[in-house]
Amino acid sequence: ITEGANCDLFISAAPKQMNAMDGSLKEDVDKNPNGLDLIVTDSRVDLLENKVTLAVPEGNPKGIESFDQLSELLKSGDVLLAIGNSDVPVGQYTLKIFDYYGLDEEALVSAGVLTYGNNVKEVTSQVSEASADCGIIYATDAFSAGLTVVDSATAEMCGQVIYPAAVMQGEKEEAAQAFLDYLQTDAAMQFLASVGFSPAN
């Protein structure tokens, strides 16, 4: 979008990218470093929430049931966990979970209990193929891949995964707002919930 893509409505997988185009934040160089003013600020809403989940392969060979149990298995070296690299959001949420449990990533790497993916799809594939005993992925990716989710991270563990939405400034603001209004209806939310999302609170 910042490079000129023609877009009428933007739904971001994190507030960071939305903040970077929000003119009401252009005085805040941390949030909007380039001072961009591309969205209709009054249209901005927190639309959806995704969950960071612990997913297992078919049959759950290691019998993994929770993040609490996973932290113990990681400490004892009895599990291979697939995670995203630290430069992708799912990897950043995972590192927060490690901090919550007092786990040291470097020590886990040395123990050979971690395997990495460049994005959440790669982590999901490792779990689907059972090349890892479990993986930390989004609820929506687990749903798409037909994986079993055994636990969901709480906001205390890693924060919330919020998807903001906003109408882009331009010729189609009215139509884009109408579609954004529709996305907030019960009917649309029921569909989005059926694939793993929940309404943002």
Side-chain angles (χ1 to χ4, degrees), residues 74 81-87 90-92 94-99 101-117:
L74 286 168
L81 169 67
I83 66 171
N85 291 337
S86 61
D87 62 344
V90 76
Q92 292 158 13
T94 299
L95 294 181
K96 289 179 182 179
I97 292 170
F98 285 177
D99 287 344
Y101 283 105
L103 297 167
D104 181 281
E105 183 188 9
E106 287 184 17
L108 296 176
V109 169
S110 297
V113 296
L114 297 182
T115 176
Y116 289 87

Side-chain angles (χ1 to χ4, degrees), residues 3 5 7 143 153:
E3 292 175 4
C7 176
F143 174 86

Side-chain angles (χ1 to χ4, degrees), residues 45-117:
V45 293
D46 286 341
L47 183 65
L48 299 168
E49 181 178 359
N50 211 336
K51 296 288 186 188
V52 177
T53 65
L54 179 58
V56 295
E58 188 176 348
N60 192 5
K62 284 286 175 90
I64 297 162
E65 296 175 355
S66 67
F67 278 109
D68 290 352
Q69 181 194 19
L70 173 65
S71 72
E72 296 306 315
L73 290 169
L74 286 168
K75 289 172 187 172
S76 62
D78 292 328
V79 70
L80 180 62
L81 169 67
I83 66 171
N85 291 337
S86 61
D87 62 344
V88 295
V90 76
Q92 292 158 13
Y93 288 115
T94 299
L95 294 181
K96 289 179 182 179
I97 292 170
F98 285 177
D99 287 344
Y100 177 82
Y101 283 105
L103 297 167
D104 181 281
E105 183 188 9
E106 287 184 17
L108 296 176
V109 169
S110 297
V113 296
L114 297 182
T115 176
Y116 289 87

Side-chain angles (χ1 to χ4, degrees), residues 108-179:
L108 296 176
V109 169
S110 297
V113 296
L114 297 182
T115 176
Y116 289 87
N118 289 320
N119 53 54
V120 72
K121 298 289 183 208
E122 287 187 10
V123 178
T124 303
S125 293
Q126 289 182 48
V127 180
S128 295
E129 295 161 5
S131 58
D133 299 316
C134 56
I136 298 177
I137 60 177
Y138 298 120
T140 49
D141 291 284
F143 174 86
S144 298
L147 291 172
T148 300
V149 169
V150 295
D151 201 1
S152 295
T154 63
E156 183 185 6
M157 290 163 67
C158 66
Q160 289 179 281
V161 185
I162 299 295
Y163 288 48
V167 172
M168 304 301 297
Q169 295 176 17
E171 297 174 7
K172 298 180 182 172
E173 290 179 19
E174 192 174 330
Q177 184 63 59
F179 185 61

